[in-house]
Amino acid sequence: QQQVKQSPQSLIVQKGGISIINCAYENTAFDYFPWYQQFPGKGPALLIAIRPDVSEKKEGRFTISFNKSAKQFSLHIMDSQPGDSATYFCAASWYSSASKIIFGSGTRLSIRP
Amino acid sequence: EAGVTQSPTHLIKTRGQQATLRCSPISGHTSVYWYQQALGLGLQFLLWYDEGEERNRGNFPPRFSGRQFPNYSSELNVNALELEDSALYLCASSLSSGVQETQYFGPGTRLLVL
């Protein structure tokens, strides 16, 4: 019940295309859903986050879509660029507690020039 | 402002030995978190320290332990190393623990157990 399932495991997208990464969760008590971006040799960095009171959040080319009834959320990267090539992790936690974040297994994204 | 720093960057040990990993949080951050990132398994929560106390731990055996010092830096100790302990160990810090605060990650320590 604590799991966050992420797919696909790897993704190749042409430059300028849309990259879509999906995540699903089971615990309805989760109320904070961040996405992290990790470049090789670096630690993950917070990219964008959403709370379940909204269905979509957009920051530049990055958009989170949230479907509370389906317990699913996804990351869309518009106009994907080679610099977006990284591993992306979705996560879920409780807003009231920063102590524990449950991470998905990660998606390795490669943008072909 | 300096980010989260970790040392060493790489560590090679043999099975049965002990490993000590160190983390310095961002200045002003009081909470430190440790994660294990094994290949293909994402990030697994290990430990959370705040104000010098262990506040929570993940589903790991007791041979994974640590502490937080008065300057909020932290140390992760792994005793009786096993081959499957080979992973990237990430430290993160945040401003406080009560309300959701962004966790900032360090570059990690890559531990290899032979």
Side-chain angles (χ1 to χ4, degrees):
Chain A
Q1 200 178 17
Q2 299 273 57
Q3 276 189 317
V4 176
K5 295 182 179 179
Q6 183 172 347
S7 63
Q9 190 174 23
S10 62
L11 181 63
I12 299 174
V13 175
Q14 289 293 129
K15 179 183 174 182
I18 302 174
S19 303
I20 302 174
I21 304 170
N22 300 299
C23 285
Y25 63 98
E26 297 172 359
N27 190 338
T28 55
F30 289 139
D31 59 3
Y32 181 69
F33 302 89
W35 284 88
Y36 284 79
Q37 180 188 54
Q38 184 178 26
F39 293 106
K42 303 284 188 181
L46 180 66
L47 183 64
I48 186 172
I50 196 169
R51 295 196 66 192
D53 51 350
V54 296
S55 60
E56 186 176 281
K57 183 174 182 180
K58 184 176 181 179
E59 289 184 3
R61 295 183 296 108
F62 300 90
T63 300
I64 299 178
S65 296
F66 188 84
N67 186 330
K68 189 174 182 178
S69 60
K71 292 185 286 185
Q72 295 176 346
F73 58 110
S74 59
L75 176 70
H76 295 232
I77 306 176
M78 312 300 288
D79 187 27
S80 299
Q81 299 297 311
D84 298 330
S85 297
T87 299
Y88 292 81
F89 294 95
C90 63
S93 73
W94 297 264
Y95 190 78
S96 60
S97 170
S99 66
K100 201 167 177 177
I101 294 178
I102 312 298
F103 285 87
S105 56
T107 295
R108 179 171 289 185
L109 175 64
S110 296
I111 306 300
R112 283 189 174 158
Chain B
E1 180 184 279
V4 176
T5 59
Q6 292 185 244
S7 63
T9 55
H10 293 80
L11 190 57
I12 300 174
K13 294 285 185 178
T14 56
R15 195 169 46 185
Q17 285 188 313
Q18 180 198 35
T20 298
L21 289 64
R22 296 179 177 83
C23 172
S24 292
I26 291 172
S27 177
H29 287 191
T30 61
S31 278
V32 171
Y33 312 82
W34 286 95
Y35 294 87
Q36 182 193 66
Q37 186 176 20
L39 197 63
L41 291 180
L43 285 81
Q44 305 293 319
F45 169 73
L46 262 168
L47 289 159
W48 166 40
Y49 292 95
D50 183 63
E51 298 287 353
E53 299 285 330
E54 180 181 306
R55 303 294 186 182
N56 204 353
R57 66 180 294 130
N59 189 25
F60 281 84
R63 57 190 186 82
F64 287 84
S65 65
R67 52 181 172 166
Q68 186 178 33
F69 299 98
N71 66 354
Y72 303 112
S73 67
S74 178
E75 195 174 87
L76 174 68
N77 295 293
V78 188
N79 295 318
L81 283 165
E82 300 179 1
L83 297 178
E84 52 265 34
D85 296 334
S86 295
L88 179 68
Y89 288 84
L90 290 161
C91 170
S93 72
S94 70
L95 269 172
S96 64
S97 60
V99 179
Q100 181 59 245
E101 291 282 353
T102 299
Q103 293 186 17
Y104 295 87
F105 284 82
T109 291
R110 189 163 294 280
L111 173 64
L112 178 61
V113 182
L114 302 174

